[in-house]
Amino acid sequence: MNRRGFLGSLAAAGLVPAGMVASGPALAQDAGGILRTPFWPAPTYLNSAISTSGPESFLSPKFYDGLLGYESGMVPKPSLATAWEISEDGLTVTFTLREGVTWHDGEPFTSHDVAFTFMEVLKVHHGRGVNTFANLTSVDTPDDYTAVFNLSKPSPAMMRALDSRECPILPAHLYEGTDIMENPVNTAPVGTGPFKLESYEIGSAVVMVPYEDYWDEGYPLLDRFIVQFVPDPATRAAMLESGQTDAIFLGMIPTQEILRIAEMDGFEMTTTGFEAMPSGLQLEFNLENEILANKLVRQAIAHAIDTNWILENVFYGMGQTGASPLHYDQRPFYTTEGVPSYPFDLAKANELLDEAGYPRGEGDMRFKLMLDPSPWGTESINSSAYIREVLRQVGIDVEVRQQDFAVFVTTVWTERKHDLVLYTATMGVDPTIGVHRFYLSSNFQPGTGFSNGAHYDNPEVDELLNAASIEMDEEARIAQYAEFQQIAYEDLPIVKMVDIAAAPTLASTRVHDFAPDALGALGSLKQTWVEQ
C-alpha cells in the first residue's frame, strides 16, 4: 500500500484527521480510477519532439516532462527546471535542474539530456522549434544539474515554449548516435513523465500506467489511462453517452454533439486550459501549382468561401472568422487594421478568375483542383464538403481526397502531391512559435509536417519575421507584426477560415481536475482522477 492508501485507511478508521490524507487537489480516498478516452487519428509517433501533429501533442506530455509548466495566464512554473535566470542582455538563460529525477528505465536525468534534446532534436526536427530556437547556438552543461542556453540574439518567445508538449526532454542515452526519426523509442517512449507505457497496439489503443518513481510525489492520481483510436466521430460520441468512455478531449466529436451532450445530466463541458494552443482552421495553397501561383486565383477562392458559414455550421459559433495570419488571441500583435479582407462575394470571385485568364469551359468548369483535408478531428473534413460545393459555383472542380493521417502528412509535406490543404493548426502563445513556420521561406522543408507547405517565399516577410523574433521592445514587435499581416494577407499563401475558440473538453462528472493549468489536456493530466 502506498502512502496515500495507508493514510486513507487510517482516516477511514478515525485514527488520523481526514485533512492529512490529501496529497494534491483531490482527497486520497477519491484519487485514482481508470480514465478512458477515444481519439483520432492514431499517432505516427508517441513523441511530440519530432512531430507537432495533434495525436503526438496529446499523448507525448503524459510520458515526457518539459523544463517548465505554465499556470493559467501562461505564468511559468517549475518542472524539470526548478529555477531559471535570464541575463540582462537576453543572450543567456541559466536553468537549475531538478535532482533525483530518473527516466522510466531507471537511468538518471541530467543536463546532458537537456542539451541533446534542444541542440540535436528540437532545433532540427521540430516543426515549430526550428524557428523558436533558431538563435540558440549552444547549451553548456557545467554540471549535471545546470543547463546554460547561449543565444546569438534575444528570443522573447522561447520562455513561453518550454512545456512538455512543445519541448519534451528526451533521454540522450537512448537517442545519441541513432537516426532520430527512426529510433524505436519514438513509439516505445522512455520519459521522466508521470505515466509510462504499458501497451501500444498500433492503430488501436495506448495504455498508460503510473510511473512509480515519478519525481512529483503523490502523482499521477490515475491508476490507468487508456486512449482508444476510434475513427468514427458518431461512435466516439456514443461511447461517451453510454459510459464506455469517460471524457472527450480536443473536440474529438462534432461541436453540435458536444453542446448537446453537455446539456445532459452527468456531463460537464469546459473551454479552460487551452491558453497554450490558440488554433485556426486554414486553407493553404501549393504555390508550385501553376494555377495557384496566380494571386488572383487565390484571392478569388478566398472571396468564394463564406467563412461565416463554416464558423456557424462547423464550429457552432465557437470562434471568429479568420481575418489575419495571426489568431485573435495573440494579443497585442493581432490586428485587422490595413489587412486586406476577402468578404464572401461570388460575383467578385468570378470576376477575378476571368481576369486571371481562366474562362469557363467544358461542364462550365475552369480548372480542377485536389483538396486534402486533415483527418485530425472532424472540422476539416466537414468544412471540405462545403468548400467543394461552393467552389464549383465559380467554376472550380474540386475533388476531396480523404487519407489516414500519416499518408496525409506524407502526401502534402513530403511528396507535395497536393493543390489545396485544409487543416487546423496551433498558432502558438507567441507568433514566433506557431505562425512563423508557415510563412518563413527557410521553413520550406519537405518532410517536415505543418511547415510552409505553400512554398511561400517573400524576402520582405522573412525580414519582418526574423526581426520580430528577436525584438525585445513590445511596441516595435507590434509594428513589425502589423506590417507582416498586411503583406502576407495580400500575398495570400494561406486563407484563414476560422480562429477557433478554445477546444472544449466534455467529460463525465465523475472525472475531476482535467483542466488544471494553461495546457489542459495537452499537459500531463497527472492531477486528473476518476471517481471509483
Side-chain angles (χ1 to χ4, degrees):
M1 181 179 292
N2 62 24
R3 179 179 180 272
R4 287 204 311 272
F6 177 68
L7 286 176
S9 65
L10 293 181
L15 299 178
V16 299
M20 287 185 60
V21 179
S23 62
L27 294 179
Q29 62 263 37
D30 291 328
I34 299 173
L35 178 64
R36 302 158 301 169
T37 186
F39 212 78
W40 190 258
T44 302
Y45 309 104
L46 300 177
N47 172 6
S48 63
I50 60 172
S51 172
T52 62
S53 64
E56 283 81 354
S57 294
F58 175 66
L59 290 164
S60 181
K62 284 61 180 172
F63 302 114
Y64 295 98
D65 289 313
L67 289 176
L68 304 179
Y70 298 97
E71 297 286 8
S72 296
M74 289 303 294
V75 177
K77 61 180 178 179
S79 185
L80 289 179
T82 58
W84 48 96
E85 182 179 352
I86 305 173
S87 64
E88 192 171 326
D89 61 7
L91 298 180
T92 303
V93 183
T94 302
F95 293 95
T96 301
L97 304 181
R98 189 177 299 277
E99 299 186 31
V101 177
T102 59
W103 296 98
H104 294 169
D105 63 1
E107 290 295 313
F109 158 76
T110 71
S111 57
H112 180 61
D113 298 304
V114 175
F116 172 80
T117 298
F118 280 89
M119 296 306 298
E120 304 298 328
V121 183
L122 295 172
K123 276 178 60 71
V124 180
H125 299 287
H126 190 277
R128 293 185 289 267
V130 170
N131 294 318
T132 306
F133 305 109
N135 300 320
L136 178 64
T137 58
S138 64
V139 178
D140 294 335
T141 55
D143 59 59
D144 283 349
Y145 301 107
T146 304
V148 182
F149 283 33
N150 300 303
L151 303 165
S152 59
K153 300 172 184 176
S155 298
M158 185 183 78
M159 295 303 295
R160 296 164 69 85
L162 299 177
D163 56 83
S164 56
R165 171 190 66 103
E166 192 69 14
C167 296
I169 306 300
L170 302 184
H173 67 283
L174 297 179
Y175 275 93
E176 279 185 313
T178 72
D179 182 332
I180 301 296
M181 298 301 292
E182 298 298 328
N183 192 305
V185 182
N186 291 332
T187 53
V190 176
T192 62
F195 294 97
K196 63 182 182 181
L197 185 67
E198 181 178 76
S199 64
Y200 175 32
E201 186 176 346
I202 295 174
S204 178
V206 168
V207 179
M208 294 168 268
V209 293
Y211 176 42
E212 58 275 8
D213 292 322
Y214 187 51
W215 56 265
D216 196 356
E217 185 179 358
Y219 293 98
L221 299 181
L222 290 170
D223 298 318
R224 181 171 268 100
F225 189 176
I226 301 171
V227 180
Q228 296 172 274
F229 304 117
V230 180
D232 179 49
T235 302
R236 297 195 288 267
M239 291 172 68
L240 183 64
E241 282 193 80
S242 66
Q244 296 177 64
T245 193
D246 306 297
I248 297 288
F249 297 108
L250 302 174
M252 281 289 112
I253 61 176
T255 304
Q256 74 271 27
E257 288 292 277
I258 292 176
L259 298 176
R260 178 182 67 82
I261 298 173
E263 293 297 316
M264 299 170 59
D265 291 340
F267 296 98
E268 80 174 286
M269 183 189 79
T270 182
T271 56
T272 62
F274 291 95
E275 297 172 58
M277 58 162 295
S279 299
L281 176 71
Q282 54 189 31
L283 181 70
E284 187 174 74
F285 303 102
N286 184 351
L287 303 184
E288 294 170 5
N289 179 309
E290 181 181 356
I291 296 171
L292 297 175
N294 188 322
K295 183 166 64 175
L296 295 177
V297 172
R298 303 196 297 274
Q299 293 175 342
I301 290 174
H303 277 296
I305 299 171
D306 185 354
T307 55
N308 190 64
W309 189 97
I310 295 175
L311 173 64
E312 295 301 326
N313 291 277
V314 177
F315 293 91
Y316 288 77
M318 299 183 71
Q320 292 183 187
T321 54
S324 157
L326 270 59
H327 190 283
Y328 66 81
D329 264 346
Q330 290 179 312
R331 300 181 179 93
F333 308 112
Y334 171 85
T335 186
T336 58
E337 185 176 348
V339 177
S341 62
Y342 303 92
F344 178 55
D345 188 336
L346 293 178
K348 179 66 173 179
N350 276 306
E351 177 186 323
L352 288 169
L353 289 168
D354 289 338
E355 184 182 346
Y358 293 101
R360 292 178 183 267
E362 184 179 351
D364 210 27
M365 293 293 109
R366 302 173 188 272
F367 49 79
K368 184 172 184 176
L369 296 173
M370 181 71 73
L371 170 59
D372 290 290
S374 166
W376 160 254
T378 61
E379 294 87 359
S380 295
I381 291 173
N382 292 345
S383 300
S384 66
Y386 163 76
I387 292 172
R388 176 187 61 204
E389 295 308 313
V390 77
L391 290 186
R392 286 186 64 84
Q393 295 181 39
V394 295
I396 301 175
D397 185 8
V398 174
E399 178 183 349
V400 175
R401 174 172 53 188
Q402 294 189 36
Q403 307 167 93
D404 69 44
F405 196 79
V407 175
F408 163 74
V409 172
T410 299
T411 298
V412 175
W413 284 279
T414 301
E415 298 175 349
R416 301 194 53 73
K417 295 178 179 178
H418 70 291
D419 300 322
L420 308 171
V421 58
L422 186 69
Y423 57 90
T424 56
T426 300
M427 301 289 110
V429 292
D430 186 283
T432 299
I433 298 171
V435 176
H436 286 208
R437 57 183 168 144
F438 300 117
Y439 293 91
L440 277 171
S441 62
S442 59
N443 265 65
F444 174 65
Q445 299 180 3
T448 299
F450 304 96
S451 181
N452 195 354
H455 199 176
Y456 177 58
D457 187 348
N458 184 325
E460 190 175 5
V461 165
D462 286 349
E463 183 177 352
L464 282 167
L465 293 184
N466 286 327
S469 69
I470 63 173
E471 179 57 63
M472 299 297 285
D473 181 83
E474 185 168 277
E475 291 304 314
R477 288 190 89 206
I478 289 171
Q480 289 161 340
Y481 280 123
E483 188 175 356
F484 155 69
Q485 289 168 86
Q486 294 166 9
I487 297 171
Y489 233 53
E490 170 67 27
D491 288 348
L492 211 64
I494 295 170
V495 183
K496 182 77 70 62
M497 301 283 103
V498 172
D499 278 337
I500 306 167
T505 294
L506 179 62
S508 163
T509 51
R510 296 184 304 105
V511 183
H512 299 272
D513 297 327
F514 51 78
D517 57 20
L519 293 173
L522 292 173
S524 69
L525 295 184
K526 64 184 178 183
Q527 302 96 333
T528 303
W529 57 283
V530 180
E531 290 179 24
Q532 311 281 323

